[in-house]
Amino acid sequence: MAETLQKMAEETPKSDEGRRFEEFFQEVMRHELAELAEQYPQQRSLSIDFQKLVLFDHKLADGLLERPDHFLKVAEEALEGLQFPTAVGSLKAHVRFRNLDEDRVIMVQNLGAQHLDKFIAVEGIISLATEIKPVIKRAHFECLHCGLKSYTFPEKNILKTPDYCRCGRKDFKHLDKEDEFVNMQNAQMQDLVEKLKGNSPTSHISLWVEDDLVNQVAPGEKFLVTGILRKRPVTKDRKQTSVYEKLLEIWHLERSEKEFEELEVTAEEEAELVALSKRTDLFETIVKSIAPSIYGYPEMKLAIALQMFGGNTDKILPDGKRVRGEIHALLIGDPGTAKTATLQYASRLAPKCIYVSGKGTSGVGLTASAEKDEFGEGWVLKAGALVLASGGQVAVDELDKMTEDDRSAMHEALESGTISIAKAGIVTRFNARTSVLAAANPKLGRFNPAEPPANQFEIPPTLLSRFDLVFPIKDVLDEVQDSKVAEHILKGHRASLGSDQEKMDISPEISIEKLRKYIAYARRNFSPVLTLEASAKIKEYYLRLRKMGMKQNYYPVTARQIEGLIRLAEASAKARFSKHVMMIDADRAITLTEYVLRTVFMDRETGRIDSDIINIGQPKSKIDRARTVLEIIEDKERDVDMVSVEEVVKEAESLGIEEKKAREILDQLHKQAEIFRPKSGFVRTSRKRRD
Ligand code: ADP
Ligand code: MG
């Protein structure tokens, strides 16, 4: 048994506990120790399954949980006391226990006084990480009176001078050249998004990571850690307050790959979900179960449902290109059309979702950042909502209220599922495979009914084109509709007072919990494959749109829409628990896309569907008109220094552009800096022609 390990001659009497740990190492951990001995000192941690200690001696295990400082020290000393026949001698290694019982895994939001100085586990997502820094492991001091040297161990970031010297005095000089250092890294962890139901506020816990554990955590990654909860004094106006900060001293960390907990489905539940998937009115039922208190909008609700199921994750094409599986949707509508209500409902329903409002959300809060840390020396990497919810969803309200910079930070995340940071020598990339459900108001806050909605989006076209589906929601005066909405809202309020039958109409047919489970189950178990028929159908639809455009010298649909169609069709197949994307799925995707194209892209002036609106920013006809006006000015400029606005307008009219339009175009051109106004009533192009 102890052929390879021999006890070192005992000089000091060992405690029972120390002896038990020795026995534990020799009897249970022999293989691991032999490996460690071989790799030492490059490897200086012994990772131990806590359950093995429980089996070996549950009293020892209990002691470790309750008094970790004492027991971990004893364990490390016991380890050091073991001798190896190989050259290394004794092992000064960390003992790192993992795999505590479920009830020792505490949520960040519940960490409190009762856990102080206890051995616990926490599972969460890293929201912030600093660079590594040297920290004093042992600080050395010299007595100013008798010259005796002594040392102290700093308690986390607080350096302690010795209390008294042996000579009885207490004046010391810090011998900083003799201090021993170890690497340290700070990080922050928060609860997993999927575990926080609804919109409960997120709590954070600071992590203290030391020695060989540094540089293993990065923002956006999930970890299961074990450690000891410490308190750190807070000072205010140089006085210590009675409130302390929490700090988790990490003893072991491992990546956690566990999926949403909704996936813990019992056999009985599974049968129920499968039965639901077989219903012929499946989609109607799902749509009815999404935000039932909100009247109407069946297409929008279908889109939200499909978005939650999502396309197949991460297709990597043979040439290495990644095609995203996330479906992004945008609601643009008049105020008071239940956009916010819809987003909030969606964030309660989705298995993993963060709701943010554009007002007051910084780009950092949404994406990610590298910032100087509080001491202004190192860097801190911070993960925002899109990173923290990776694999899930973010609901972004008031998208139009965000600053330009913040919105532009979303571009990369939406298309490639990553967020890159390149700043002052820091180059890093976060995963952000997050689907986005956003809401915005149109330009001027409200739709002008006389204009096509597409002209009234105030979202930059580059961002707009990344949304697979864009829903304009107009608040139109319609007595029949209005009375239905009113009746529906009133019913909801009556039902909330606990009355009768009316509750039935408002409560979802599939409960939120069940639907969430259904979605999580579908996402996890199905990656439907496109059948030839469905591919053909999508291709045919795409070609039809293209051809319709070709005939009119148009390119109404771009290739982006094909990918969008495939994603929607895949989501539809997943929702049916199907292994194959069939014709019906293609049909569902096409019907929804067609609905969106008709409502959004319809250019009222020509009656054509024109996705150039989305991809370039305005209808082709408008581009043509702007070019015409510009050409008129350029033409006249050849003879004069500046051109009279009245003349331009008159000439434009003769070419079929009405006066009002022509003046609008001039304003537009002026805004775009294509032309300028040397004096009131006159214009000139910015680029002087040379011919
Ligand atoms: P928005 O964000 O679009 O400005 P809100 O979501 O804040 O609008 O909606 C305002 C209120 O009107 C909410 O309480 C919402 O429930 C209600 N409401 C608006 N439209 C409907 C509808 N179609 N059905 C039920 N309630 C509605
Ligand atoms: Mg709103």
Side-chain angles (χ1 to χ4, degrees):
M1 192 164 299
E3 299 121 5
T4 51
L5 311 170
Q6 293 165 3
K7 264 188 233 175
M8 201 170 68
E10 289 179 22
E11 284 152 21
T12 47
K14 283 233 168 74
S15 64
D16 280 353
E17 292 148 3
R19 219 165 290 124
R20 282 302 275 164
F21 267 117
E22 268 179 13
E23 284 161 20
F24 173 68
F25 290 137
Q26 288 172 330
E27 289 172 26
V28 184
M29 300 296 297
R30 260 190 316 151
H31 284 299
E32 290 87 343
L33 273 175
E35 249 168 56
L36 176 64
E38 228 160 78
Q39 306 287 329
Y40 188 82
Q42 283 76 33
Q43 195 193 322
R44 38 185 194 282
S45 284
L46 180 66
S47 167
I48 307 167
D49 185 344
F50 183 73
Q51 300 308 326
K52 286 188 179 165
L53 185 67
V54 175
L55 279 181
F56 179 77
D57 184 340
H58 70 91
K59 273 202 196 121
L60 209 55
D62 284 348
L64 176 63
L65 293 178
E66 290 308 307
R67 289 171 56 209
D69 284 311
H70 171 70
F71 280 86
L72 287 170
K73 192 160 164 254
V74 171
E76 289 190 348
E77 281 168 5
L79 180 61
E80 206 183 333
L82 298 172
Q83 260 229 339
F84 295 85
T86 46
V88 281
S90 65
L91 298 177
K92 247 179 124 43
H94 308 281
V95 291
R96 303 203 179 280
F97 286 93
R98 57 169 204 278
N99 195 21
L100 303 195
D101 293 342
E102 278 289 310
D103 63 352
R104 286 306 273 205
V105 185
I106 318 284
M107 281 186 79
V108 174
Q109 60 180 6
N110 296 332
L111 286 173
Q114 68 275 33
H115 304 116
L116 283 177
D117 299 318
K118 300 279 156 68
F119 203 60
I120 51 168
V122 180
E123 188 179 23
I125 183 163
I126 303 294
S127 56
L128 172 162
T130 66
E131 290 177 307
I132 61 174
K133 291 174 203 166
V135 63
I136 298 177
K137 185 87 200 163
R138 195 144 78 153
H140 290 259
F141 296 89
E142 189 179 69
C143 176
L144 286 176
H145 304 280
C146 68
L148 186 74
K149 287 185 179 176
S150 58
Y151 55 79
T152 60
F153 297 99
E155 230 174 68
K156 297 308 137 207
N157 55 353
I158 296 162
L159 192 62
K160 282 197 305 191
T161 40
D163 293 337
Y164 286 99
C165 180
R166 267 190 217 160
C167 68
R169 279 167 287 197
K170 51 172 192 175
D171 301 313
F172 294 96
K173 180 178 162 200
H174 183 188
L175 304 171
D176 48 7
K177 289 227 168 65
E178 291 183 21
D179 287 343
E180 291 149 44
F181 285 87
V182 67
N183 283 325
M184 181 278 287
Q185 187 180 24
N186 280 128
Q188 224 172 52
M189 186 180 243
Q190 67 178 58
D191 283 320
L192 296 176
V193 174
E194 53 268 43
K195 284 213 176 139
L196 295 169
K197 293 289 142 51
N199 295 317
S200 55
T202 37
S203 336
H204 295 88
I205 180 76
S206 299
L207 308 184
W208 180 284
V209 183
E210 231 177 64
D211 201 14
D212 54 345
L213 296 185
V214 300
N215 278 346
Q216 294 190 25
V217 299
E221 291 173 352
K222 290 198 248 177
F223 277 92
L224 175 59
V225 300
T226 52
I228 305 172
L229 189 68
R230 305 289 191 191
K231 59 185 189 309
R232 190 154 61 168
V234 182
T235 50
K236 200 175 169 194
D237 303 330
R238 295 199 167 186
K239 280 199 202 108
Q240 193 178 320
T241 64
S242 63
V243 182
Y244 285 78
E245 267 176 10
K246 293 173 290 183
L247 180 70
L248 189 62
E249 180 185 308
I250 302 301
W251 278 79
H252 183 268
L253 48 83
E254 63 191 315
R255 248 167 244 274
S256 93
E257 304 291 350
K258 220 165 81 187
E259 282 283 339
F260 309 150
E261 63 176 23
E262 265 72 32
L263 286 175
E264 285 154 21
V265 193
T266 63
E268 196 182 323
E269 280 173 330
E270 187 172 358
E272 238 179 88
L273 298 182
V274 171
L276 177 59
S277 77
K278 297 225 161 72
R279 280 172 66 158
T280 48
D281 60 349
L282 172 71
F283 283 91
E284 290 81 2
T285 316
I286 291 179
V287 165
K288 265 194 245 154
S289 301
I290 290 182
S293 65
I294 294 166
Y295 179 82
Y297 309 130
E299 297 87 3
M300 186 176 89
K301 289 180 181 178
L302 177 61
I304 289 174
L306 292 181
Q307 183 180 35
M308 286 182 194
F309 289 103
N312 290 347
T313 44
D314 273 13
K315 266 173 280 183
I316 309 289
L317 303 188
D319 66 353
K321 177 176 177 267
R322 170 188 180 261
V323 181
R324 69 175 150 103
E326 298 82 38
I327 297 170
H328 305 307
L330 173 62
L331 322 175
I332 300 187
D334 289 331
T337 46
K339 297 184 300 298
T340 300
T342 308
L343 256 58
Q344 285 181 341
Y345 195 94
S347 69
R348 276 201 291 138
L349 172 62
K352 178 178 184 179
C353 187
I354 298 177
Y355 171 93
V356 295
S357 177
K359 248 193 250 165
T361 307
S362 62
V364 177
L366 194 61
T367 56
S369 74
E371 290 168 20
K372 286 272 179 195
D373 73 8
E374 47 189 313
F375 308 109
E377 284 152 16
W379 290 87
V380 187
L381 294 177
K382 282 188 186 166
L386 287 170
V387 176
L388 296 173
S390 187
Q393 192 174 351
V394 169
V396 187
D397 206 353
E398 318 259 3
L399 184 68
D400 50 329
K401 309 282 188 308
M402 275 179 172
T403 67
E404 195 57 44
D405 282 353
D406 297 343
R407 271 194 313 224
S408 72
M410 289 178 69
H411 282 80
E412 185 194 351
L414 288 186
E415 195 59 48
S416 59
T418 54
I419 292 173
S420 311
I421 287 184
K423 182 175 170 185
I426 294 202
V427 179
T428 188
R429 184 178 285 175
F430 302 95
N431 274 337
R433 293 177 189 167
T434 319
S435 59
V436 172
L437 174 62
N441 287 112
K443 213 183 278 179
L444 307 175
R446 179 172 267 290
F447 277 122
N448 173 357
E451 284 235 26
N455 289 0
Q456 304 178 55
F457 296 162
E458 215 175 358
I459 312 292
T462 45
L463 183 56
L464 203 55
S465 71
R466 282 168 166 78
F467 287 94
D468 298 293
L469 297 166
V470 180
F471 289 90
I473 311 174
K474 289 197 214 168
D475 187 12
V476 277
L477 261 181
D478 175 342
E479 220 176 304
V480 182
Q481 176 79 2
D482 290 350
S483 102
K484 279 186 187 153
V485 172
E487 185 48 40
H488 194 82
I489 293 178
L490 289 166
K491 218 190 261 177
H493 282 251
R494 284 200 300 267
S496 75
L497 294 176
S499 73
D500 54 22
Q501 156 77 25
E502 279 166 334
K503 236 178 195 158
M504 297 284 292
D505 299 351
I506 297 298
S507 62
E509 191 172 335
I510 315 170
S511 71
I512 286 199
E513 290 71 32
K514 188 164 168 192
L515 188 52
R516 191 191 292 131
K517 209 159 239 185
Y518 186 86
I519 292 168
Y521 185 88
R523 282 176 70 110
R524 154 97 153 246
N525 293 309
F526 297 94
S527 286
V529 185
L530 264 174
T531 58
L532 285 177
E533 301 87 69
S535 307
K537 181 104 199 181
I538 289 174
K539 184 171 166 198
E540 179 203 84
Y541 174 68
Y542 175 70
L543 290 181
R544 207 177 72 221
L545 283 173
R546 290 283 277 199
K547 207 145 83 200
M548 192 172 87
M550 286 294 206
K551 255 194 246 142
Q552 302 163 332
N553 195 20
Y554 260 79
Y555 296 91
V557 174
T558 69
R560 256 205 180 124
Q561 266 109 1
I562 304 184
E563 289 178 358
L565 282 164
I566 297 173
R567 276 190 287 271
L568 289 168
E570 284 169 351
S572 159
K574 266 193 211 179
R576 298 187 298 108
F577 286 8
S578 164
K579 291 195 176 71
H580 301 283
V581 180
M582 321 246 262
M583 289 282 266
I584 34 168
D585 302 311
D587 275 337
R588 189 163 291 116
I590 289 169
T591 313
L592 197 57
T593 307
E594 182 81 8
Y595 170 85
V596 164
L597 289 176
R598 291 229 168 271
T599 40
V600 183
F601 301 122
M602 187 72 84
D603 186 336
R604 281 279 173 83
E605 287 164 59
T606 62
R608 286 179 294 209
I609 297 176
D610 178 4
S611 87
D612 270 3
I613 298 167
I614 283 279
N615 292 323
I616 301 174
Q618 49 184 202
K620 195 126 200 285
S621 47
K622 203 165 180 182
I623 295 176
D624 289 345
R625 287 197 307 258
R627 185 148 305 137
T628 310
V629 171
L630 200 59
E631 275 168 8
I632 295 173
I633 303 171
E634 282 173 346
D635 191 43
K636 292 192 180 301
E637 248 174 5
R638 283 178 216 186
D639 308 321
V640 291
D641 270 348
M642 48 190 174
V643 185
S644 145
V645 169
E646 296 313 313
E647 275 182 46
V648 178
V649 171
K650 215 185 285 163
E651 179 134 3
E653 264 189 298
S654 75
L655 292 172
I657 304 173
E658 1 167 336
E659 184 185 339
K660 189 169 151 266
K661 270 268 141 55
R663 287 187 195 279
E664 271 175 29
I665 291 170
L666 283 171
D667 283 343
Q668 192 66 38
L669 289 172
H670 186 243
K671 256 194 223 146
Q672 293 166 347
E674 289 283 342
I675 60 172
F676 65 99
R677 297 185 168 135
K679 74 178 190 195
S680 158
F682 288 87
V683 290
R684 243 174 88 170
T685 61
S686 310
R687 285 163 290 156
K688 188 95 184 104
R689 291 176 70 120
R690 286 169 205 283
D691 52 340

